[in-house]
Amino acid sequence: MSSAAIGQGVPLDGRGAHLIITVKEDARPLVRSPARVSLDLTDTIKLSQARRGDRGVIVQVGGHCHHKEHEVELERRLLELGFVEGAEVELLHEGLFGRDPIALKVDDMRVALRRREAASLIIRRVAA
Amino acid sequence: MDMALKTARVALVGNPNSGKTALFNALTGAHQKVANYAGVTVERKEGLIRAASGRTMSVLDLPGTYSLRARSPDEEVTRDAVLGRLAGETPPDVVVCVADATNLRLVLRLILELRAVGRPMVLALNMYDIAQRQGLRIDLETLSAELGVPIITTVATRKRGIEDLIAAVEAKVEAAAVEGENRWSSPDSAALRHAAREAERIMKACVRPPERPDTLTGKIDSVLLHPVAGMAILFVLLFVMFQAVFSWAAPLMDGIEGAIGWIGGLVAALIPDQGGGGLIQSLIVDGIISGVGSVLVFLPQILILFLFIIALEDFGYMARAAFLMDKIMGGAGLHGRAFIPLLSSFACAIPGIMAARVIDSRRDRLTTILVAPLMTCSARIPVYTLIIAAFIPSRTVWGVVNLQGLVMFGLYAAGIVSALIVSLLIRKVFWRGAVEPFMMELPTYRLPDPKSVAFNLWLRAKIFINRAGRIILPLVILLWVLATFPYPPENATLPAIDYSFAGMIGRALEPIFAPIGFNWQMVIALIPGMAAREVAVAALGTTYAIADAENATGLLASTLSAQWSLATALSFLAWYIFAPQCVATLGVVKRETNSTKWTWIMIGYMFGLAYLASFVTYHVAVALGGG
């Protein structure tokens, strides 16, 4: 991760987190495996639990279970569609039945997703 | 000077909704050819560029993708074409990456991937006028240096920047000696993250956010994606669409029918009907002209339907329709995108099945194709109206509802409900409950360009006539042979068809159809009725010896109501909800699925359902006193 990105306040993605930890080593307990652990879990929710109007920053893409092929594939597809750690998301619209699917603003584009897939994304909520 | 002699090959690659096809049209004009890639049902669009220098280059419009890591047959074609792995295709000399200048983030990541392939590349920053209007500043020099590719700004819809783009491509062709090594391999999630970060860095370095960002899309969405208002608008839109398909098309269809009749008459007059001439006349007039005509007559409906679909797609609404319908479609195990193909199938299953190409996942696409013919296509309407007019009294029930209208509605509903149930069963039986993810970009709304809509419509018409013609022609000839030979004896008392192969097959099949209440005349009529569903009306006329049954439906209806019981009539209606009485559809399914197995599965399940439904209908009706 480039220092520019850290400076821009785009923290807390899996691998980038490693860099941040080394900087703040004394302030926080060291996390041994930087790949899959999000650090600050305060006010983080699964994107699938978000409601209309919620905003946040993606802190983790993909589940912990990396044995199942479809989970790995889902993670890659989400990444390709712009759901990457550090991206800003806002829930714009919800479907009529069961509030599903959801329409999101991801950085500067709009994406539709089912809540089922949104469960693979963890966001840290930001006040609107 | 080999390069000057060889036609250089250019491939267009880009994200969906980047205006790639508009750029392709601007580059090639009308010089394009639409076909399929060898072995897969992915549309292959190729065109010719004539550069100012006199050089001609061939351009391939590859399916839109976010990544070379393909997830659908379409994207596999893009990957293999770029990598030069595609069977029967030479690798492109130059890759033109088409980007929506207002939506660069994802395409930057794609460019990084393309760069690893090592082919000479040019970046076309399309929709540049919109970017400028938004006050979006792109530092082209830095961006070009960062990516290591020349950048040309274009406005495909206004044909701006096209000359420059061609010149840049030519320059690459001439310098073609330097071709990098292919370092591309399917990226894993770590590589994707890394590339996304790199794209983000380039974005920050070269692009200043718009001063006047597009707020219109958000405003339109707050209405069109509103859970209640959005649904209501969708249904109003569908209502208008169906009104248009059925009412606007009617005069045109009458015109085509008239023209086909006129041509048939003309040919009949030209060919003497004595001796061998009579046979040729019958083959051309009764076989080919009326057989192909019975399918061509649906062209106006199909074009009106496609006019709506293309315009709404270009506007950006179709992704919203998929969003709104996803939960309902998902309940039946279908993808939100399946909505449009199934909708098209109300006019005719053929364009519906062809439209299923928009669905990424092979399974979802196959499911959609398998249930599309259950939608009540317009060819069923003549059959339904004939039987309803003959057997269902026109009286009012429950105070306001016309009974005939209610039965018609019931037939439509039966088609829809059965399609949903069947797709659910397909998912359970064949896919064991696997669910494909639903995720798609909701593109920015754009006013459709009338010229490009007209052009695409013309292309669709050409494809329909071409495909339908090629599939139907041999089949209608086969059906004509069955219905014509052998000739009736000299002293024949029954209609000629009774003595033909069709008659023999009909009589042989009669015992199978007896339990569902069909008599032999009906069974015989089903055989030529395989050409298209509405042909059954004319075929019934033939077996009941009523001339010109299609126009004299009153006479046919009264004959039928005298000859059939109510139970038989209802059973016949039930048969027509399900039976795949349309060889053209089956031919298109074979082509689109590229699988004999799935075609037979469709034939099997549809005839099975038809028999079951007719059996139940017949016996329930008899038990209730309708026998």
Side-chain angles (χ1 to χ4, degrees):
Chain A
M1 180 181 230
S2 68
S3 56
I6 296 172
Q8 299 287 348
V10 192
L12 293 181
D13 64 283
R15 274 149 227 278
H18 179 63
L19 284 178
I20 299 174
I21 300 158
T22 47
V23 174
K24 298 182 181 173
E25 213 166 14
D26 48 0
R28 288 172 188 277
L30 186 78
V31 180
R32 267 186 304 150
S33 162
R36 277 301 125 220
V37 183
S38 50
L39 291 175
D40 186 4
L41 286 172
T42 53
D43 208 23
T44 59
I45 55 166
K46 283 184 178 177
L47 184 59
S48 54
Q49 297 160 338
R51 302 303 285 271
R52 193 175 132 87
D54 279 354
R55 287 159 175 265
V57 175
I58 298 178
V59 292
Q60 188 185 309
V61 182
H64 295 271
C65 171
H66 265 231
H67 309 293
K68 290 187 191 146
E69 197 196 324
H70 77 265
E71 291 233 5
V72 178
E73 174 58 21
L74 180 62
E75 180 182 343
R76 291 195 209 170
R77 285 204 203 178
L78 287 166
L79 289 167
E80 282 164 357
L81 214 52
F83 291 99
V84 63
E85 285 86 353
E88 289 171 23
V89 290
E90 181 186 350
L91 204 156
L92 298 172
H93 303 283
E94 297 169 323
L96 176 59
F97 308 103
R99 300 176 179 277
D100 194 27
I102 50 177
L104 301 153
K105 189 151 193 189
V106 185
D107 284 330
D108 37 22
M109 60 183 276
R110 286 153 217 278
V111 178
L113 204 62
R114 281 185 192 151
R115 285 193 187 265
R116 184 190 164 91
E117 275 84 53
S120 297
L121 295 160
I122 295 178
I123 63 165
R124 181 163 37 77
R125 257 196 289 207
V126 176
Chain B
M1 285 309 290
D2 249 22
M3 282 322 288
L5 300 172
K6 202 181 87 187
T7 305
R9 302 178 54 87
V10 181
L12 297 188
V13 187
N15 288 165
N17 312 309
S18 57
K20 194 166 49 61
T21 299
L23 190 68
F24 177 73
N25 291 342
L27 281 169
T28 61
H31 307 283
Q32 43 179 281
K33 215 168 67 189
V34 182
N36 271 0
Y37 287 98
V40 283
T41 48
V42 175
E43 212 153 82
R44 181 182 187 281
K45 285 174 86 179
E46 192 180 25
L48 278 185
I49 302 180
R50 284 182 216 292
S53 65
R55 182 199 294 274
T56 55
M57 295 181 276
S58 89
V59 203
L60 214 50
D61 183 15
L62 294 172
T65 185
Y66 294 101
S67 167
L68 288 184
R69 205 183 56 77
R71 353 162 253 169
S72 68
D74 281 39
E75 295 179 0
E76 275 169 25
V77 162
T78 302
R79 178 196 63 200
D80 293 345
V82 170
L83 295 176
R85 285 188 200 156
L86 211 57
E89 309 266 342
T90 35
D93 299 300
V94 181
V95 172
V96 174
C97 184
V98 187
D100 172 357
T102 63
N103 189 7
L104 280 174
R105 202 177 306 263
L106 297 188
V107 77
L108 286 179
R109 208 201 53 71
L110 178 65
I111 294 168
L112 295 176
E113 240 187 280
L114 285 169
R115 219 173 46 176
V117 176
R119 298 230 164 259
M121 183 160 50
V122 176
L123 172 60
L125 268 191
N126 197 26
M127 308 195 206
Y128 198 66
D129 56 335
I130 300 175
Q132 281 178 319
R133 224 175 298 143
Q134 290 181 2
L136 181 83
R137 291 283 172 77
I138 303 171
D139 181 348
L140 295 174
E141 264 172 49
T142 317
L143 186 60
S144 175
E146 284 280 0
L147 297 172
V149 297
I151 298 178
I152 308 294
T153 60
T154 59
V155 183
T157 47
R158 305 224 184 316
K159 293 202 165 37
R160 257 184 248 156
I162 303 301
E163 297 293 315
D164 294 345
L165 181 61
I166 294 173
V169 170
E170 264 199 296
K172 282 280 176 190
V173 171
E174 264 147 36
V178 280
E179 208 175 272
E181 206 177 311
N182 180 8
R183 291 175 287 108
W184 184 84
S185 63
S186 182
D188 61 7
S189 53
L192 287 171
R193 279 193 175 86
H194 183 270
R197 243 175 265 135
E198 177 69 5
E200 181 70 31
R201 185 189 64 75
I202 297 174
M203 215 34 206
K204 288 242 157 68
C206 309
V207 183
R208 216 175 60 196
E211 289 157 10
R212 297 172 293 278
D214 161 61
T215 53
L216 193 62
T217 296
K219 283 179 193 152
I220 298 175
D221 267 349
S222 61
V223 179
L224 293 185
L225 290 186
H226 186 277
V228 180
M231 277 293 192
I233 291 169
L234 176 63
F235 283 107
V236 169
L237 205 62
L238 293 185
F239 181 78
V240 172
M241 210 158 131
F242 274 92
Q243 280 296 311
V245 165
F246 292 111
S247 62
W248 300 357
L252 293 168
M253 292 172 80
D254 290 345
I256 291 181
E257 271 183 343
I260 289 162
W262 181 78
I263 293 169
L266 201 69
V267 173
L270 283 175
I271 303 172
D273 58 355
Q274 278 101 37
L279 197 59
I280 295 168
Q281 186 203 72
S282 165
L283 169 65
I284 295 175
V285 177
D286 305 331
I288 297 171
I289 296 178
S290 75
V292 173
S294 66
V295 177
L296 270 191
V297 81
F298 294 105
L299 189 62
Q301 286 191 338
I302 289 169
L303 286 186
I304 293 171
L305 190 76
F306 268 117
L307 174 68
F308 276 89
I309 291 177
I310 294 169
L312 289 173
E313 177 79 55
D314 287 2
F315 177 53
Y317 185 73
M318 279 312 180
R320 272 77 181 181
F323 176 87
L324 292 169
M325 292 305 292
D326 179 65
K327 195 72 182 176
I328 298 170
M329 308 300 288
L334 287 165
H335 193 278
R337 284 259 180 205
F339 177 60
I340 300 310
L342 294 184
L343 189 70
S344 310
S345 302
F346 280 105
C348 173
I350 296 169
I353 289 163
M354 292 188 330
R357 290 179 176 196
V358 297
I359 303 168
D360 294 337
S361 136
R362 196 185 67 90
R363 289 171 174 174
D364 284 347
R365 179 169 161 191
L366 210 52
T367 313
T368 308
I369 289 174
L370 286 176
V371 300
L374 289 174
M375 297 293 156
T376 303
C377 66
S378 50
R380 285 174 172 100
I381 295 173
V383 179
Y384 287 174
T385 45
L386 170 70
I387 306 295
I388 288 174
F391 290 92
I392 309 296
S394 176
R395 61 184 165 85
T396 308
V397 287
W398 306 325
V400 282
V401 187
N402 177 289
L403 186 62
Q404 291 188 330
L406 188 69
V407 171
M408 196 68 163
F409 176 80
L411 292 166
Y412 268 84
I416 297 169
V417 170
S418 61
L420 297 180
I421 295 172
V422 168
S423 64
L424 204 60
L425 288 176
I426 290 172
R427 181 158 298 281
K428 291 260 186 288
V429 173
F430 292 110
W431 316 139
R432 296 170 203 279
V435 177
E436 291 286 333
F438 169 82
M439 48 172 92
M440 60 183 184
E441 192 178 345
L442 297 171
T444 308
Y445 288 109
R446 292 205 171 87
L447 218 54
D449 174 37
K451 252 167 66 187
S452 113
V453 171
F455 184 77
N456 284 327
L457 199 59
W458 175 73
L459 220 55
R460 286 295 127 200
K462 226 170 69 172
I463 294 169
F464 174 78
I465 293 172
N466 203 338
R467 296 231 174 102
R470 234 183 301 172
I471 294 166
I472 291 164
L473 199 59
L475 292 168
V476 293
I477 293 174
L478 176 71
L479 288 175
W480 173 81
V481 169
L482 289 179
T484 307
F485 298 105
Y487 289 137
E490 288 289 321
N491 53 353
T493 48
L494 294 165
I497 193 171
D498 289 13
Y499 301 96
S500 69
F501 290 121
M504 292 175 203
I505 297 169
R507 296 225 184 230
L509 291 177
E510 197 194 344
I512 300 173
F513 284 90
I516 64 172
F518 285 18
N519 58 35
W520 60 266
Q521 287 98 331
M522 294 163 75
V523 181
I524 292 174
L526 292 183
I527 294 165
M530 283 300 289
R533 288 178 176 88
E534 94 281 10
V535 173
V537 174
L540 279 173
T542 313
T543 56
Y544 282 104
I546 294 163
D548 197 18
E550 266 176 286
N551 294 320
T553 45
L555 181 59
L556 181 58
S558 58
T559 309
L560 294 184
S561 66
Q563 302 258 350
W564 295 4
S565 68
L566 178 63
T568 293
L570 293 177
S571 169
F572 193 68
L573 284 178
W575 178 263
Y576 262 85
I577 297 173
F578 300 107
Q581 293 272 156
C582 176
V583 280
T585 301
L586 298 176
V588 169
V589 168
K590 168 76 179 64
R591 280 182 83 109
E592 293 291 303
T593 59
N594 210 3
S595 153
T596 314
K597 183 185 112 186
W598 286 106
T599 312
W600 281 106
I601 287 176
M602 175 188 269
I603 295 172
Y605 101 77
M606 288 186 79
F607 273 128
L609 264 184
Y611 195 87
L612 190 71
S614 295
F615 186 85
V616 172
T617 307
Y618 181 69
H619 287 276
V620 168
V622 168
L624 293 175

